């Protein structure tokens, strides 16, 4: 054992040099608890297949009685009803609805929405199911925050920056965009799938990762795609990390101008 494994907690070992991801940390935490722990929070989201989670965050488990955990485990003393849990590969994990409920009431809204977008996308969980769960747990702490966060959740987001772009739009009073819009020509042939936008006014917003700006082949594809969309009446506003995080007012101005030019505010 000493030669081939590293001890990470009492009676818990990993292969020497192994770097645990979020799922591995969660599973190791249950072993540390002698099987008494239920995987909760962000660790539960990881177990359910959510992407974009920080593997370096402490594993989160609920245990019935307090035990002092290692530094890489965060414990919560709680007994979680069995009907609010599910089994994943032999580990007890809070159900998607319970996981979403816990995250929505615990995390700041700006952090909660991207995580919940990813969880709902990974599990096919509808935000309405989480609201129903919250209604059944109305006396629990944080329910008011759940009710304010869940209307912002959209499983169509494919990355945290897409979630944050959508939040920026909605929280600044613009109409909520639809995600993953499929554009077809008059014959029904597929032309493009857009990150988010307003089909009624043929305005879209696309978040482009770094490779869209630095990869010449991708850049050429983007130029051709933009030309095809323009020919079919679409105005596409593109954004990246710099615009979204350091100059959001410019992005908002561009979106508002495009919507206004297409008549989005005529009846307001």
């Amino acid at each position: 054992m000493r030669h081939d494994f590293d001890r990470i907690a009492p009676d818990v070992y990993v292969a020497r040099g192994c770097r645990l991801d979020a799922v591995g940390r969660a599973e190791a935490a249950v072993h540390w608890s002698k099987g008494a722990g239920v995987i909760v929070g962000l660790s539960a989201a990881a177990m359910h297949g959510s992407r974009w989670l920080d593997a370096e965050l402490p594993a989160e488990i609920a245990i019935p009685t307090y035990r002092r955990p290692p530094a890489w485990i965060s414990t919560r003393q709680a007994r979680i009803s069995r009907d609010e849990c599910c089994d994943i590969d032999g580990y007890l994990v809070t159900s998607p609805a319970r996981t979403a409920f816990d995250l929505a009431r615990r995390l700041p809204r700006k952090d909660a929405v991207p995580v919940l977008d990813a969880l709902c996308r990974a599990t096919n969980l509808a935000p309405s199911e989480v609201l129903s769960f919250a209604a059944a747990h109305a006396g629990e702490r944080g329910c008011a925050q759940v009710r304010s966060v869940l209307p912002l959740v959209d499983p169509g987001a494919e990355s945290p920056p897409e979630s944050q772009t959508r939040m920026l739009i909605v929280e600044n009073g613009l109409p909520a965009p639809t995600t993953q819009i499929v554009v077809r020509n008059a014959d029904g042939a597929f032309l493009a799938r857009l990150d988010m936008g307003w089909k009624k006014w043929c305005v879209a917003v696309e978040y482009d990762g770094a490779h869209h700006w630095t990869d010449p082949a991708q850049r050429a594809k983007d130029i051709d795609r933009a030309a095809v969309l323009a020919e079919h009446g679409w105005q596409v506003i593109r954004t990246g990390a710099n615009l979204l995080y350091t100059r959001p007012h410019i992005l908002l101005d561009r979106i508002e101008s495009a919507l206004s030019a297409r008549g989005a505010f005529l009846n307001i």
Side-chain angles (χ1 to χ4, degrees):
M1 291 289 287
R2 290 178 180 175
H3 183 267
D4 295 323
F5 295 88
D6 290 324
R7 181 178 182 271
I8 59 173
D11 299 322
V12 182
Y13 297 82
V14 297
R16 179 148 294 176
C18 175
R19 189 179 182 87
L20 294 176
D21 59 10
V23 169
R25 283 186 168 222
E27 294 173 347
V30 173
H31 287 292
W32 165 81
S33 74
K34 308 297 185 186
V38 176
I39 300 172
V40 299
L42 290 170
S43 293
M47 294 292 291
H48 284 297
S50 293
R51 300 178 64 193
W52 319 111
L53 296 172
D54 183 357
E56 300 301 319
L57 289 174
E60 297 182 65
I61 59 171
I63 53 177
T65 56
Y66 178 76
R67 287 182 61 195
R68 184 178 179 86
W72 55 274
I73 300 176
S74 174
T75 60
R76 187 181 316 161
Q77 189 174 342
R79 295 182 182 273
I80 298 175
S81 173
R82 186 63 180 83
D83 63 1
E84 295 176 5
C85 300
C86 59
D87 183 286
I88 299 179
D89 297 331
Y91 296 89
L92 205 57
V93 183
T94 49
S95 67
R98 174 67 195 237
T99 301
F101 174 71
D102 287 341
L103 292 171
R105 64 196 179 118
R106 180 167 63 86
L107 295 176
R109 184 160 67 170
K110 67 180 181 62
D111 298 325
V113 171
V115 170
L116 293 172
D117 282 355
L119 176 62
C120 289
R121 186 176 183 85
T123 62
N124 293 318
L125 175 69
S128 59
E129 295 178 65
V130 187
L131 289 171
S132 296
F133 187 97
H137 293 73
E140 295 195 30
R141 186 174 183 178
C143 280
Q145 178 164 304
V146 175
R147 291 191 293 270
S148 72
V149 167
L150 264 297
L152 296 172
V153 174
D154 187 329
E158 293 187 326
S159 69
E162 286 187 24
S163 299
Q164 290 153 359
T165 300
R166 192 185 72 252
M167 288 177 63
L168 177 71
I169 292 168
V170 173
E171 292 186 332
N172 281 275
L174 294 173
T178 301
T179 55
Q180 306 308 321
I181 298 172
V182 174
V183 180
R184 301 183 184 276
N185 65 15
D187 297 324
F190 176 85
L191 296 177
R193 184 165 57 90
L194 301 165
D195 291 343
M196 68 194 77
W198 300 266
K199 200 167 186 178
K200 180 178 180 179
W201 301 298
C202 289
V203 174
V205 180
E206 293 263 87
Y207 182 89
D208 293 338
H211 71 288
H212 285 271
W213 308 97
T214 59
D215 183 336
Q218 183 63 56
R219 178 72 173 161
K221 289 180 183 178
D222 289 343
I223 291 171
D224 290 341
R225 181 173 178 270
V228 170
L229 287 167
E231 289 170 3
H232 288 80
W234 280 86
Q235 181 174 350
V236 179
I237 297 143
R238 300 177 64 199
T239 186
N242 181 276
L243 190 59
L244 174 61
Y245 299 121
T246 67
R247 298 178 293 152
H249 59 288
I250 294 176
L251 175 59
L252 288 168
D253 285 346
R254 290 175 182 173
I255 296 170
E256 185 172 5
S257 295
L259 288 172
S260 180
R262 299 295 177 99
F265 307 119
L266 290 180
N267 297 320
I268 295 179

